[in-house]
Amino acid sequence: MRLWLLMFLVLAVRQRLGQSASALLPVPAEMRWGQGRLSLKTALRPGMPSTTHPSVIDAVARTLARLQPEKTTGSAVLQIRYGRVGQPEKFDEERYSLRVTPMGVTIDAPTSLGVLRALATLEQLPITEKKQRYLPEVDIQDQPRFAWRGLLIDAARHFMPVTVIKRNIDGMAAVKLNVLHWHLTDDQGFRIESKVFPRLHTVGSTDGLFYTQAEVREVLAYAAARGIRVVPEFDMPSHTTSWIVAYPRLKSNDSTYAPYTLWRTTNVAIDPTRETTYTFIDSLFTEMTALFPDPYFHAGGDENDGRNWRRTPRIVAYMKANKMVKADGKTVDKHQLQTYFNRRVLALLQKRGKRMIGWDEILGPDLPKETVIQSWRGKKGLVDAAKLGHPVLLSNGYYLDLNNTAASSYLTDPLPPDSPLTPAERKLVLGGEAAMWAEFADSVVLDSRIWPRAAAVAERLWSPQASTQSMADFYRRLPTVSAELETLGLRHRIAPELLLKQLAGSANVAPLRTLAEVLEPVKEYKRHFQGFNYTTATPLNRLVDAAPAESEVARRFGVLVDSVVAGGATAAGRTAASQRQMAELRTQLRTWQANDVLLQPQFLLNPSLREYAPLSTNLAAVSRLLLERLTQLQAGQAPSAAWLAAAKATLEAAQAPAGQAELAVVKAARKLATASASAP
Ligand code: ACM
């Protein structure tokens, strides 16, 4: 072979390697891969002006410690240049350019925020080849599609200690999320110290857990150093049992309240007709708006059906006297009373220079336009609000607690190509927020309910639409990011594993892991309604809590089934690749089939696991069925009617949840069971 041809091939292969091995997530707006590389054995020395802001110096040090934990030799420069210190709360630019050559690394950005985002990208760049880590040569130009890329953490239902919040902030920074929406109060607890109304945080919950104001400041500083804003939520007028327990003068009726220990929506609401309610909120805001520097303040507004108001004659009389009635002129309209309440709350926030955010229920024709609407009940809420001139945030489709797939979030776009919004209305779409409500997540399992799926929302909100069309490529990159997140201190992989070990006790954990890996908690809000009564005191330490929200094993199984089915698994269609896939499927199915026998003794001996026995038995039954089907397919046989009827019954039985978990492989199993044996 001619030397030039050889060199050309080597270079071409090397270029493809750098490109295909890259797992940047979110994917940058523009990347041009080169053919060179920079070994991470070479010491990167920061090149920065002496006037560089301490937060940037610290961020560079963190990145270098992660990139080069071991001894290095030689020297290359990590050149950092930025225009000015960026303030996330002013939505300052996050744009950056990042260039890696065999000689060194250069980061250029208009603001220090861009430098932080560039460093996050740099940390994802290393590629390992033959045990050597290196940075591939690349030229990246990047900027976010949306300015508001949030994660809501509910610290009210289950309290989340500061360490948990901090490590999730690290996770957010790694995938370029930039707003922590801190849900601090709810029926079950008021989780932030109030020096003005100390009963709020001391008697509002049964466990008495809360953040001190010093801890809040610590979190704010930690987030700010990573270019992340913190927006607090004080949910009103409903979701306020904890407030009323602490200060009964806020209540709308004559009932007596104790700390709330269930998860059902209470529709308990504070009284919007008394001036003392606003005096209270005013004092609380004086304290809380001083603590949180962000210009936005979330006042909740969700899930108030008005029952507390409609059933209180004094409040009904108020509504009638103030003409808060429906079109018939008689029936009182709780929405009008809530709008009145919103206006009062808005005025108290505006007095302090804050912009109000509320959930989509607060939308109405009379709501002042400057109020930001966070849409959770449907996409329509976002469109309606933007059409009325409100800035909007999308959370519908991004509810991590509903245990839907990362793909479903990924496919949810605040501005899809068919969005009915005009160009002017589109500008009102600030972005969106992944939401992690914590009825079924305590501080131990929280990470595994957020990560890695929140990365789908992060990429959807950061990356250009055009470069985020491939779900397969997203899922290719996700495990790499998941591993990165674990090294940042997140416990989304280790915590479920430790829970499994605890459940297995002295028995071998492997069979239990094999089952747990293909289980998922039931979806949407079903976990509330399956005959198991949860309270705030119920430990979240059952098999369902160790099951992934989205089973990666089941997802991969689905991909394999798809290619076998699409490839036509017949004698005629037997390529080397399809043979390999068939063999892989068989191995997997045999493992699942054999697993039940290994697990049954554990179910017998361990009462806390027993409720999951049917899922294990069903997994074995489905696997047996699919092994039969593979044999038929390979022989080019169509299944008999009797076989199909039996298969249908087995698959239907396998759909039934147990212990609020379900088998995640049933859909793919059905596809394979009914796959036709015709040639491709
Ligand atoms: C909500 O999920 N109730 C905002």
Side-chain angles (χ1 to χ4, degrees):
M1 201 179 324
R2 297 262 172 86
L3 189 59
W4 63 264
L5 183 58
L6 188 65
M7 277 176 63
F8 172 81
L9 284 175
V10 167
L11 289 176
V13 166
R14 269 179 65 171
Q15 168 151 6
R16 278 206 302 276
L17 271 176
Q19 201 162 349
S20 63
S22 156
L24 299 182
L25 200 165
V27 68
E30 282 176 53
M31 312 179 263
R32 277 206 313 275
W33 297 95
Q35 293 161 6
R37 60 180 68 185
L38 173 58
S39 168
L40 279 169
K41 278 189 177 163
T42 311
L44 285 169
R45 312 247 177 250
M48 299 183 268
S50 58
T51 52
T52 302
H53 195 266
S55 68
V56 174
I57 295 175
D58 288 352
V60 170
R62 283 197 302 271
T63 296
L64 285 178
R66 290 177 52 71
L67 283 180
Q68 306 192 302
E70 282 148 30
K71 245 172 101 74
T72 49
T73 58
S75 172
V77 177
L78 168 56
Q79 186 71 50
I80 312 262
R81 286 186 290 255
Y82 65 87
R84 61 193 164 81
V85 175
Q87 290 176 275
E89 62 277 12
K90 291 195 173 149
F91 294 97
D92 276 342
E93 274 194 274
E94 297 169 277
R95 183 158 55 90
Y96 68 90
S97 77
L98 167 65
R99 195 170 156 71
V100 178
T101 72
M103 312 305 295
V105 180
T106 310
I107 290 171
D108 268 295
T111 79
S112 56
L113 294 176
V115 176
L116 297 179
R117 307 300 173 239
L119 292 170
T121 303
L122 183 60
E123 288 186 28
Q124 291 184 343
L125 265 182
I127 285 171
T128 304
E129 225 181 68
K130 299 201 184 92
K131 296 193 179 158
Q132 298 283 324
R133 288 171 77 238
Y134 68 90
L135 297 170
E137 181 169 18
V138 71
D139 190 344
I140 293 173
Q141 307 290 330
D142 200 10
Q143 63 186 68
R145 181 171 165 221
F146 293 103
W148 192 304
R149 307 176 306 280
L151 170 65
L152 176 153
I153 296 181
D154 170 8
R157 269 52 175 270
H158 282 97
F159 181 70
M160 305 297 169
V162 167
T163 49
V164 175
I165 300 295
K166 280 186 176 173
R167 69 185 185 230
N168 277 284
I169 287 174
D170 286 328
M172 291 173 68
V175 295
K176 303 183 174 73
L177 288 171
N178 67 352
V179 183
L180 170 65
H181 173 161
W182 209 355
H183 186 78
L184 288 166
T185 71
D186 216 301
D187 287 314
Q188 296 81 0
F190 192 102
R191 303 302 189 175
I192 177 169
E193 175 191 22
S194 169
K195 295 184 198 287
V196 187
F197 300 115
R199 288 178 57 83
L200 284 171
H201 63 274
T202 50
V203 305
S205 65
T206 43
D207 58 20
L209 297 171
F210 63 93
Y211 304 105
T212 65
Q213 294 197 2
E215 285 173 327
V216 169
R217 283 193 200 92
E218 188 184 327
V219 167
L220 294 176
Y222 195 85
R226 286 151 185 81
I228 291 174
R229 298 167 40 215
V230 178
V231 174
E233 180 182 349
F234 292 79
D235 201 351
M236 297 174 270
S238 195
H239 288 272
T240 47
T241 306
S242 59
W243 308 40
I244 289 169
V245 168
Y247 295 93
R249 65 176 184 263
L250 293 169
K251 69 188 174 183
S252 292
N253 54 23
D254 296 331
S255 304
T256 303
Y257 290 91
Y260 190 59
T261 56
L262 303 178
W263 297 135
R264 273 194 310 275
T265 316
T266 61
N267 285 293
V268 166
I270 55 180
D271 186 346
T273 68
R274 284 200 245 246
E275 277 312 301
T276 49
T277 297
Y278 300 102
T279 323
F280 183 96
I281 296 171
D282 195 32
S283 301
L284 185 67
F285 280 178
T286 302
E287 183 178 27
M288 296 305 167
T289 58
L291 190 56
F292 291 93
D294 201 85
Y296 289 84
F297 199 94
H298 206 303
D302 58 321
E303 297 183 303
N304 172 32
D305 70 1
R307 71 181 70 166
N308 268 197
W309 300 345
R310 276 195 312 270
R311 292 175 191 170
T312 304
R314 180 175 50 77
I315 295 180
V316 170
Y318 180 94
M319 289 162 86
K320 287 192 169 152
N322 288 281
K323 302 200 169 47
M324 294 171 178
V325 286
K326 297 196 173 158
D328 64 10
K330 294 200 295 274
T331 320
V332 290
D333 183 357
K334 65 102 185 172
H335 198 269
Q336 292 187 44
L337 183 53
Q338 184 152 347
T339 301
Y340 165 77
F341 174 78
N342 291 333
R343 283 179 164 278
R344 297 287 305 265
V345 170
L346 176 67
L348 296 177
L349 288 173
Q350 282 180 328
K351 186 166 94 175
R352 298 176 169 86
K354 298 286 183 187
R355 278 172 243 174
M356 184 167 106
I357 313 179
W359 296 107
D360 58 34
E361 285 97 328
I362 72 169
L363 189 64
D366 298 331
L367 187 72
K369 300 285 171 266
E370 54 270 38
T371 309
V372 179
I373 297 295
Q374 184 163 11
S375 166
W376 74 281
R377 291 178 302 170
K379 313 278 177 299
K380 191 172 172 295
L382 177 134
V383 170
D384 290 350
K387 291 221 167 277
L388 285 169
H390 292 275
V392 287
L393 293 169
L394 183 64
S395 276
N396 177 267
Y398 299 150
Y399 265 37
L400 302 171
D401 58 309
L402 302 186
N403 297 311
N404 290 318
T405 61
S408 70
S409 287
Y410 201 69
L411 291 171
T412 299
D413 196 316
L415 283 174
D418 63 353
S419 165
L421 298 179
T422 65
E425 290 159 356
R426 282 164 183 255
K427 288 208 176 70
L428 293 167
V429 180
L430 304 177
E433 289 186 354
M436 184 59 232
W437 299 102
E439 288 92 337
F440 299 113
D442 60 12
S443 59
V444 174
V445 301
L446 179 79
D447 297 4
S448 69
R449 294 295 177 237
I450 296 179
W451 307 103
R453 289 176 306 143
V457 182
E459 176 152 299
R460 176 52 57 228
L461 297 175
W462 175 281
S463 304
Q465 235 165 359
S467 45
T468 46
Q469 301 296 314
S470 167
M471 195 67 78
D473 191 60
F474 170 77
Y475 276 115
R476 176 187 69 78
R477 290 173 287 132
L478 194 59
T480 309
V481 170
S482 184
E484 180 199 3
L485 292 166
E486 190 92 11
T487 68
L488 282 166
L490 285 159
R491 298 179 61 79
H492 57 299
R493 302 209 294 198
I494 188 70
E497 174 65 17
L498 292 176
L499 182 48
L500 287 177
K501 288 211 170 106
Q502 186 185 315
L503 285 167
S506 56
N508 178 7
V509 70
L512 195 58
R513 188 191 297 124
T514 299
L515 176 62
E517 274 175 354
V518 292
L519 298 184
E520 291 173 359
V522 290
K523 309 287 161 189
E524 305 286 329
Y525 294 107
K526 282 191 210 142
R527 197 165 166 183
H528 291 285
F529 307 107
Q530 297 205 336
F532 187 100
N533 291 322
Y534 287 94
T535 74
T536 51
T538 308
L540 297 175
N541 60 0
R542 291 151 65 230
L543 195 57
V544 59
D545 300 299
E550 176 178 21
S551 161
E552 177 61 8
V553 174
R555 193 192 65 78
R556 282 173 192 261
F557 174 72
V559 171
L560 206 52
V561 164
D562 280 345
S563 45
V564 163
V565 169
T570 63
R574 265 186 232 169
T575 61
S578 80
Q579 290 281 19
R580 217 173 30 246
Q581 288 165 345
M582 294 283 251
E584 209 179 314
L585 268 185
R586 275 190 185 282
T587 308
Q588 177 67 85
L589 292 167
R590 287 202 192 101
T591 304
W592 287 340
Q593 190 184 12
N595 199 58
D596 188 44
V597 179
L598 303 175
L599 267 184
Q600 286 305 331
Q602 292 196 37
F603 292 135
L604 274 179
L605 293 172
N606 187 341
S608 69
L609 281 178
R610 206 164 294 153
E611 60 184 324
Y612 297 100
L615 296 175
S616 176
T617 306
N618 286 339
L619 180 64
V622 167
S623 301
R624 191 176 320 117
L625 185 81
L626 296 184
L627 283 165
E628 285 169 14
R629 184 72 200 114
L630 283 182
T631 304
Q632 294 168 3
L633 283 168
Q634 283 183 304
Q637 285 172 356
S640 68
W643 188 92
L644 278 174
K648 190 162 171 258
T650 301
L651 289 165
E652 250 158 46
Q655 263 184 320
Q660 300 92 58
E662 59 194 10
L663 276 176
V665 294
V666 177
K667 203 164 139 218
R670 178 165 292 121
K671 211 183 268 183
L672 186 57
T674 56
S676 102
S678 63

